[in-house]
Amino acid sequence: MRGLLLTLVFTGISSAERINQEGRILGPQPAVAAPILFNTPQADAVVSAMQIMPLDSPWNEDVSRRPVLSNSDAMVSRITSDLVTGVNANRGFLWLFEEMNFALVPDNQPAQPVEFFQYPQQSDFDGGTSPFGSYPIPVNLPIETWPTGTGSMTLEQWQTSSVSGDRHSIIVMPGTGNLWETWLTRRVGGNWRAANGAKFPLNNNSLRPAGWTSGDAAGLPMFPALVRYNEVQRGMVEHAMRVVVKKSRREYIYPATHHASVDNTTDPNVPAMGQRLRLKAGYVINPSWTIQEKAVLLGLKKYGAFVADNGNFFSISITPDDRYPEECFDHLRSLQISNFEVIQTTGPNEGPRSAGAPTANAGPDLDVRAGSSVALNGAVSGSGTLVTQWKWNAGPAPVTFGNAAQAATTASFTVPGRYTLLLSASNNVHTPAYDAMIVDVTIPVSLVRSGRDQIVGFPTISGRHYRVERSGDLGAWLTLADNITGTGSPAQVTHAGALDVPGEQQFYRVVFLD
């Protein structure tokens, strides 16, 4: 008896994907086998696949609908006046500083001692003994502003340079989900020294002890706030940024843990550490500006920026990546401080961290024949008024939904291939919930006997390419016809003599090549 396998084979992502707060499927996390510098394609691949801080983290909180503080105008005016004085008349605009860089390290990166010489009492020693921490410092640890702000110096020269500055360092271990940050960092001979050291988890919302500083005066981590090459090239900064103001008041608000008021003011119109600013919704983003500029502006509208430090400019930090196109951020320097507003922030158990977060379950992966419809049995739950949405995420052609605003609906597919569909549920308070499903849309295949031959028939899409394969045991597959170009009409492939051997089984499959 002869068996027949009529199928269309695909390769692609599997279900149960990790999906970030923007609904972006992160894909498999690449392993870090050796230290990787921030300004490389390898680092881009790793960071693009990372969930940097939890989905409900304040860094990943959509604040585009948060109410404005009643004294927002007064606070923005004070931020401006503190900067625009005397010779600093040109500092009423946003500045982008190419400063914070980072290194990615493997889980087994050897730890090295680092001496904390200024704030050991507010440092994480991570296995070391005061005043020496034990940090996974790679040989190629980059120090702040290298390479775009250090002239012709090599990294090794900059590590030991006596040039002053904040000299931050950032070490990220994606495998364990940990982050180490230092400032005033310098290698002296074979030894490392820093003002203090802070270790942060990337997979929970725990904070530093109340009153503790970090590399940032606010006690905040810097890495989650950085504007990075991989995300601006993608077109969206998907998190809150860090902003520096001239003066801050003697107070910190969630998620900050430390104040740094130089004159100890308690004036409520002076921003506190942890204060959140947002680019006004009415600010019109010029469509002719670069993708990098638009990525920053979109992030500032949706996620805003935390007041994180004091300085001489109203500035946000971008990585000093030497791959940025020349002048790609120049238009942002025309952005006036008055285009920002100060919003009401949420606390540790408020906003996306409050009870009742939505859930979404897209259901199991499906197989369907091209030209047919399939039932989608999704399910959502959560508090408040839920907005449900099915969306085509990937695939060779658009998908027609019966009602994309219902979890239980239908979807129709006209073109064969592998599709990824996303189901989301949101209530405008919590982080939207997402779930993905894979739908393999196959080609209906027919077999017709012609004497001792077997004719394999299947419909084609014009311009698409196919391969017909056969097997006698479902193990090894042999090509019967390759790179068949679709014309929009059915195609036929003849397996001559397929029925010559009595009792021999033949299996066939049609492979969709593009």
Side-chain angles (χ1 to χ4, degrees), residues 440-472:
D440 282 332
V441 181
T442 60
I443 298 174
V445 181
S446 65
L447 290 177
V448 177
R449 179 175 175 173
S450 177
R452 306 305 297 171
D453 302 337
Q454 193 73 266
I455 299 174
V456 182
F458 57 96
T460 67
I461 305 296
S462 181
R464 303 280 183 169
H465 297 86
Y466 309 82
R467 180 169 62 239
V468 179
E469 298 177 336
R470 66 179 180 86
S471 174

Side-chain angles (χ1 to χ4, degrees), residues 92-103:
F93 300 87
L94 180 68
W95 289 64
L96 279 75
F97 280 161
E98 295 187 31
E99 47 185 0
M100 308 298 183
N101 44 34
F102 59 90

Side-chain angles (χ1 to χ4, degrees), residues 71-327:
N71 64 331
S72 171
D73 289 346
M75 194 176 292
V76 169
S77 178
R78 181 60 183 270
I79 293 171
T80 305
S81 64
D82 283 342
L83 284 167
V84 185
T85 57
V87 297
N88 299 325
N90 64 336
R91 294 187 180 178
F93 300 87
L94 180 68
W95 289 64
L96 279 75
F97 280 161
E98 295 187 31
E99 47 185 0
M100 308 298 183
N101 44 34
F102 59 90
L104 305 171
V105 297
D107 295 354
N108 61 355
Q109 178 65 34
Q112 296 192 47
V114 52
E115 180 185 6
F116 301 132
F117 62 84
Q118 190 166 342
Y119 292 98
Q121 73 279 11
Q122 294 184 26
S123 293
D124 295 309
F125 296 101
D126 204 21
T129 302
S130 180
F132 290 92
S134 183
Y135 282 22
I137 301 175
V139 173
N140 59 345
L141 177 67
I143 306 299
E144 181 180 353
T145 72
W146 180 87
T148 61
T150 56
S152 61
M153 281 191 183
T154 65
L155 175 54
E156 292 76 14
Q157 290 171 331
W158 184 242
Q159 287 176 340
T160 60
S161 172
S162 60
V163 174
S164 62
D166 285 345
R167 297 184 64 89
H168 290 97
S169 80
I170 300 174
I171 305 167
V172 185
M173 190 177 283
T176 64
N178 286 307
L179 165 68
W180 294 262
E181 298 182 346
T182 64
W183 66 291
L184 297 183
T185 313
R186 182 173 283 105
R187 183 167 57 82
V188 181
N191 302 314
W192 286 96
R193 302 183 77 236
N196 83 321
K199 181 181 180 181
F200 297 91
L202 291 171
N203 49 19
N204 66 62
N205 290 327
S206 61
L207 308 178
R208 292 181 64 66
W212 279 30
T213 188
S214 64
D216 253 342
L220 296 171
M222 295 176 292
F223 177 67
L226 299 186
V227 175
R228 300 180 303 272
Y229 177 84
N230 67 293
E231 58 186 352
V232 296
Q233 296 301 111
R234 192 168 54 239
M236 176 70 179
V237 175
E238 300 172 337
H239 55 80
M241 296 165 235
R242 63 184 294 273
V243 66
V244 176
V245 296
K246 177 69 174 178
K247 294 181 179 180
S248 58
R249 73 175 181 263
R250 188 181 174 84
E251 185 180 353
Y252 55 86
I253 57 178
Y254 183 83
T257 61
H258 182 258
H259 76 78
S261 181
V262 176
D263 51 8
N264 289 323
T265 181
T266 58
D267 185 342
N269 293 330
V270 175
M273 288 296 168
Q275 204 87 61
R276 197 162 190 154
L277 281 74
R278 176 181 67 198
L279 182 62
K280 292 179 178 178
Y283 181 84
V284 178
I285 300 176
N286 192 318
S288 68
W289 285 9
T290 68
I291 187 173
Q292 295 86 5
E293 292 164 333
K294 288 184 280 190
V296 171
L297 295 174
L298 290 172
L300 288 171
K301 282 192 173 188
K302 185 169 185 177
Y303 297 102
F306 287 114
V307 174
D309 211 342
N310 302 318
N312 293 317
F313 300 89
F314 182 77
S315 65
I316 61 174
S317 298
I318 65 175
T319 52
D321 201 303
D322 45 6
R323 297 174 297 167
Y324 290 128
E326 189 175 356
E327 300 178 351

Side-chain angles (χ1 to χ4, degrees), residues 361-400:
N361 185 341
D365 296 344
L366 300 172
D367 294 296
V368 62
R369 291 292 181 92
S372 63
S373 179
V374 64
L376 302 178
N377 296 311
V380 299
S381 66
S383 64
T385 302
L386 286 179
V387 176
T388 303
Q389 187 70 41
W390 280 99
K391 185 176 73 171
W392 172 83
N393 179 265
V399 176
T400 301

